[in-house]
Amino acid sequence: LQLGGNDASQLHTAAKIYHECSSQGKTTSLQYTSLNLNCGCPSPAVSGKKCFGAALMKDPTHVASLVRAIHDGAEGSMPVSVKCRIGLHDADATPFSRQIYEETKSSQKEFDQLRKFVETVASDGIVTDFQIHARIAVLGGTFSPADNRKIPPLRYNHVQRLAREFPELNFVLNGGIHSLAQANAELEAAQSEGGRLAGVMVGRAFVADPWGFATADEVLYKDVVLDDNQQRPPNRREVLEVYGRHADDEERRADPIEVRRPLVTACAHLFAGEENSRKFRMELDEIAGRPEKLEKEAKAQVWSLPGAATTSSSLASAFSVAPSSAAMGGGWDDLQAMDEARPAWDEGQPQLSELMMDAARRHFGEEVLDRSRMESYDKRISDEEESWRRRATGVPVLSLSAGGGSSIIGDDESDTIEKKVSGGVVDGWFKEGLN
């Protein structure tokens, strides 16, 4: 459970409220395993006048007092961790320029400040876990949260170095992780350099390409015997089938006009990176809006009937639903009559599960639907290697993005790309631009 604030008494109260509710069994649907203090959000609404989030990194001693308050509020019943950046830049004092930052900012000085922050916050033994976004936070000026996610350069080496210098603490790397292969490469890099990352935090990339992370158990936990009882779907056909049954059930329980778009959005990126994925998302968008479109057409049909504007009985007749006694006499303005008339507009329409599966078959074919998790992962790696080979020979590369689209990578973007070669295998990804 992440908390935000700069007042120790309020954070103490917030932690106490959750602890008391949890101990009394009032939070059965919200069983958090730890409490976290946000020292990384660069949003002007947070780090500006309210002076918390990333702004807290200015005063490590104050942060230590805040985590103590959280710890005491929860009566020491839960671990307390800190989410932060690698440093700060005051854009109100000096406008931020990435080029100037890279040319003039001392990497050693920046790391020394980060190390002091970690030492101070962890000094009393309460905090042992840090989740670190490996960019500075630019505060003030015209920088938006989106700018802060992509313009300041990533410095993973700072987090890797912390892991080496503080082996008794746990560090989770965050920021710019776009694929499972990249996450695995960073974990292995830490080990090869004599350190150990506790993990890698992935947010937007996981939402943008969920199937790309479906092999996390196999790739990251190579020696762990998997539990066959987990019943993980072997391919995306089964994912759609299982999810489709859930979606149909939800539409039977509630108004499709209200629930369809959220239901469809949940699987919009299931085929991210595949050819025609954009066309698939466009068709899903049309499917999501179909209930509302059909209802509008039905209403228009009602309006075109003689007398429809004055009697709810004619309205119900047009929808093939008998009006209730409560609806009679209310006229066109009686919304209850409209609600009772609705059920007929979707008669004869295919179920949502059928629509989604048909769209997937049409745009991707049976081979993609039946491709296993590991086959999908291996193909992704193979496609990346081929992209790097083509780029090395000066041929424009068609690259798969985290969002599932495709783009031609030009020479002017070469400075945003890093390449790692290990054992003859190229692991490449975009450090910037897809964040």
Side-chain angles (χ1 to χ4, degrees):
L1 173 62
Q2 187 176 75
L3 303 177
N6 64 3
D7 184 278
S9 63
Q10 291 184 351
L11 289 169
H12 180 279
T13 299
K16 182 178 180 181
I17 289 173
Y18 176 75
H19 171 65
E20 291 178 348
C21 290
S22 178
S23 61
Q24 295 170 12
K26 296 180 181 180
T27 59
T28 53
S29 61
L30 300 171
Q31 289 297 329
Y32 297 105
T33 58
S34 65
L35 298 172
N36 177 271
L37 178 63
N38 184 331
C39 296
C41 180
S43 168
V46 172
S47 290
K49 293 181 180 180
K50 295 183 180 179
C51 200
F52 64 101
L56 290 175
M57 291 191 71
K58 298 175 183 178
D59 190 349
T61 302
H62 183 49
V63 173
S65 68
L66 296 180
V67 296
R68 164 63 69 179
I70 294 172
H71 173 269
D72 293 346
E75 298 184 6
S77 63
M78 303 175 70
V80 181
S81 62
V82 168
K83 176 75 159 60
C84 64
R85 293 268 180 146
I86 61 171
L88 303 175
H89 177 89
D90 185 356
D92 287 330
T94 306
F96 181 81
S97 163
R98 175 170 176 153
Q99 180 178 353
I100 295 176
Y101 168 80
E102 292 182 321
E103 291 176 351
T104 63
K105 182 67 174 181
S106 167
S107 179
Q108 181 60 46
K109 182 178 179 180
E110 186 175 70
F111 177 78
D112 289 342
Q113 292 171 338
L114 175 61
R115 178 168 52 192
K116 180 181 178 182
F117 176 83
V118 170
E119 283 178 336
T120 304
V121 174
S123 60
D124 60 2
I126 291 176
V127 175
T128 58
D129 290 30
F130 291 83
Q131 298 86 39
I132 303 181
H133 187 146
R135 287 186 174 92
I136 62 166
V138 179
L139 306 184
T142 59
F143 249 62
S144 69
D147 292 332
N148 262 297
R149 288 195 301 269
K150 58 188 178 183
I151 295 179
L154 288 158
R155 288 187 169 176
Y156 290 158
N157 58 303
H158 285 352
V159 186
Q160 304 279 19
R161 188 173 171 184
L162 285 174
R164 294 194 300 272
E165 296 192 10
F166 297 91
E168 73 279 10
L169 301 178
N170 297 314
F171 296 97
V172 173
L173 179 67
N174 176 232
I177 303 296
H178 304 302
S179 69
L180 183 58
Q182 183 188 357
N184 187 48
E186 292 300 335
L187 291 170
E188 291 182 345
Q191 279 193 319
S192 67
E193 295 171 8
R196 180 192 64 84
L197 286 176
V200 172
M201 179 180 288
V202 181
R204 285 172 174 78
F206 188 89
V207 175
D209 184 15
W211 189 248
F213 291 85
T215 55
D217 285 340
E218 291 89 341
V219 173
L220 302 181
Y221 304 100
K222 304 176 180 63
D223 299 328
V224 175
V225 178
L226 301 178
D227 184 0
D228 292 335
N229 294 325
Q230 288 180 324
Q231 297 181 334
R232 295 180 300 162
N235 51 53
R236 282 173 284 191
R237 181 193 300 278
E238 189 165 323
V239 171
L240 273 182
E241 289 174 347
V242 174
Y243 183 74
R245 291 194 292 270
H246 163 73
D248 291 342
D249 186 52
E250 288 296 312
E251 289 206 334
R252 283 191 291 269
R253 295 166 181 258
D255 181 0
I257 293 177
E258 300 295 330
V259 302
R260 175 165 292 190
R261 188 165 294 279
L263 288 170
V264 169
T265 300
C267 63
H269 296 287
L270 182 59
F271 295 91
E274 299 288 353
E275 186 178 356
N276 293 329
S277 60
R278 184 172 180 271
K279 292 180 180 179
F280 175 68
R281 293 196 302 273
M282 291 174 64
E283 182 166 347
L284 287 186
D285 184 66
E286 186 277 326
I287 292 171
R290 194 173 296 179
E292 186 175 4
K293 179 182 178 182
L294 289 171
E295 187 187 48
K296 287 180 179 178
E297 292 174 351
K299 287 181 180 179
Q301 182 182 3
V302 171
W303 273 103
S304 68
L305 294 174
T310 58
T311 65
S312 57
S313 60
S314 61
L315 169 66
S317 176
F319 279 79
S320 303
V321 177
S324 68
S325 58
M328 291 297 290
W332 178 260
D333 292 330
D334 192 329
L335 296 180
Q336 183 177 352
M338 177 63 77
D339 288 338
E340 294 184 0
R342 180 191 292 123
W345 64 256
D346 64 347
E347 287 183 0
Q349 293 296 318
Q351 289 187 314
L352 179 54
S353 59
E354 182 180 347
L355 293 171
M356 291 191 298
M357 184 63 77
D358 286 347
R361 288 196 182 99
R362 185 159 41 253
H363 294 295
F364 306 115
E366 306 299 328
E367 189 275 331
V368 173
L369 278 168
D370 291 329
R371 190 183 296 153
S372 70
R373 294 187 303 273
M374 281 307 300
E375 287 172 343
S376 298
Y377 178 77
D378 291 341
K379 185 177 186 303
R380 184 72 60 88
I381 296 298
S382 175
D383 289 343
E384 287 181 359
E385 292 177 8
E386 178 61 24
S387 294
W388 285 108
R389 291 192 191 97
R390 289 169 59 84
R391 184 172 180 80
T393 59
V395 179
V397 177
L398 185 64
S399 172
L400 302 178
S401 75
S406 299
S407 59
I408 297 296
I409 304 303
D411 291 337
D412 59 334
E413 294 174 283
S414 61
D415 63 330
T416 68
I417 299 175
E418 267 190 34
K419 178 172 62 175
K420 289 189 176 181
V421 182
S422 175
V425 177
V426 179
D427 290 320
W429 56 83
F430 299 105
K431 286 291 192 184
E432 310 292 338
L434 302 181
N435 193 23

